[in-house]
Amino acid sequence: MDYQILQTEIQDGILLVTISRPKAMNALNTRFFNEMDDLIEKVSKDSSIKVMVITGEGKAFVAGADIAEMVNKNKEEGSAFSRLGQNTFRNLEKLDIPVIAAVNGFALGGGMELTMACDFRIASTKAKFGQPEVNLGLIPGYAGTQRLSRLTNLGTALYLLMTADMIGADDALRIGLVQKVCEPDTLLDEVMKIAKNIASKGPQAIKKVKAVARQGYEMSLDEGAALEAKAFGSLFGDNSEGREGMSAFLEKRKPEWK
Ligand code: CO8
């Protein structure tokens, strides 16, 4: 994989993606979205990749959308830039494998929105989260107004969106935005450990958990439970992953996943 802004590395089935535009605090421009779209397409077709991890180079994860690229846009171009990022982040969210944000530093504006399109977030104690768009006379444009309240709650989301307050990793943990906080020099090791642990589980089960939990979140409990029952059943039968996993348990051996 050959990109200008994204650096990629595969280790034991884990794809580590580093956003690398440190001179501009990894700000997201059109090139980033084009590269990310291409990467998502490739990952969706590569069954050897079990988990994807996204991090940033330098002192930022991502300090937002590229303000220099946005400043002279007209209304139509502004909406188009919003839709470009929304589509990329939605496609990232829809990847059938887990995607983890390893938040090393500033995750502001579009950067915080990117972390929210990942399945969960592990933060360094140096991470800072915020939606500072109102400082610029803007609002979030990559569905941050929608995902933040779903991940936390409406009051917390409106507070952060209206005050543009920057919060540290411990506060992000407290409001449920991040799932774990690590020392900066252990962040990537910790995240790779989590990714490898997930990659050791039944791969179909991991994909079903993601699909059912994510789709069910937008449904009634009854509809979500029906989706779960169907996915549960799909893991049973001859040559199924469930048969292998349960047989391995009963035979006191390690499962051999296909
Ligand atoms: N866009 C472009 N360049 C940026 C950005 C950005 N978001 N953030 C930082 N940079 C650049 C700076 O301009 C500076 O460039 P130069 O060296 O050429 O002057 C370089 O990165 C280093 O930045 P600083 O000197 O400011 O570094 P500090 O350590 O002093 O501060 C901060 C770091 C706190 C991260 C600071 O840079 C900052 O506040 N950045 C802007 C944060 C922000 O407002 N983000 C939100 C942007 S808007 C957004 O994300 C909307 C998303 C939805 C868009 C929808 C499409 C329409």
Side-chain angles (χ1 to χ4, degrees):
M1 297 176 191
D2 186 20
Y3 299 116
Q4 286 189 9
I5 294 179
L6 300 181
Q7 288 175 3
T8 59
E9 186 187 326
I10 299 179
Q11 260 184 47
D12 302 329
I14 318 294
L15 173 67
L16 174 63
V17 181
T18 306
I19 302 169
S20 180
R21 204 187 162 215
K23 282 191 186 141
M25 297 273 162
N26 302 328
L28 306 179
N29 58 8
T30 301
R31 181 181 287 278
F32 163 84
F33 288 111
N34 292 339
E35 291 187 9
M36 195 49 129
D37 287 344
D38 186 50
L39 181 66
I40 291 167
E41 169 92 19
K42 284 184 181 141
V43 171
S44 69
K45 292 181 182 150
D46 185 343
S47 60
S48 71
I49 298 173
K50 306 292 182 209
V51 179
M52 179 166 166
V53 172
I54 304 179
T55 193
E57 184 181 340
K59 71 179 191 184
F61 174 78
V62 165
D66 189 331
I67 298 170
E69 182 176 336
M70 288 191 296
V71 63
N72 289 321
K73 287 191 189 300
N74 63 28
K75 291 185 192 336
E76 288 70 30
E77 290 164 343
S79 287
F81 196 52
S82 167
R83 281 192 299 273
L84 175 73
Q86 285 180 353
N87 285 339
T88 304
F89 289 1
R90 190 72 174 128
N91 288 335
L92 180 70
E93 195 170 56
K94 283 183 178 168
L95 272 176
D96 61 0
I97 57 166
V99 180
I100 308 171
V103 188
N104 51 299
F106 293 109
L108 304 176
M112 176 156 152
E113 293 177 289
L114 171 56
T115 73
M116 292 194 287
C118 297
D119 292 317
F120 55 86
R121 290 141 290 283
I122 311 295
S124 137
T125 51
K126 285 195 174 159
K128 295 259 183 253
F129 294 84
Q131 296 288 169
E133 286 85 350
V134 291
N135 291 334
L136 303 169
L138 297 174
I139 65 170
Y142 302 143
T145 57
Q146 308 305 304
R147 288 196 179 94
L148 185 52
S149 55
R150 285 167 166 81
L151 287 177
T152 59
N153 59 61
L154 188 57
T156 300
L158 286 170
Y159 177 84
L160 291 173
L161 293 167
M162 289 175 176
T163 60
D165 275 1
M166 236 194 255
I167 59 169
D170 285 339
D171 279 338
L173 184 69
R174 183 180 52 76
I175 64 171
L177 182 62
V178 311
Q179 280 56 61
K180 195 170 180 177
V181 176
C182 310
E183 289 305 317
D185 52 352
T186 63
L187 175 70
L188 268 192
D189 284 350
E190 278 295 323
V191 174
M192 290 307 271
K193 220 188 282 172
I194 294 166
K196 282 178 191 164
N197 179 33
I198 294 172
S200 74
K201 313 296 181 196
Q204 293 305 321
I206 292 293
K207 287 180 181 177
K208 297 282 178 198
V209 157
K210 173 166 176 170
V212 170
R214 279 202 168 280
Q215 289 167 36
Y217 199 66
E218 309 294 331
M219 294 173 178
S220 71
L221 183 65
D222 288 339
E223 286 169 324
L227 197 67
E228 182 188 80
K230 197 164 171 229
F232 188 77
S234 76
L235 296 165
F236 282 73
D238 291 345
N239 297 317
S240 67
E241 196 170 277
R243 179 73 56 82
E244 169 58 15
M246 291 186 284
S247 303
F249 174 81
L250 295 172
E251 292 159 18
K252 302 190 188 307
R253 61 173 174 83
K254 273 193 150 181
E256 284 179 33
W257 310 122
K258 287 197 191 105

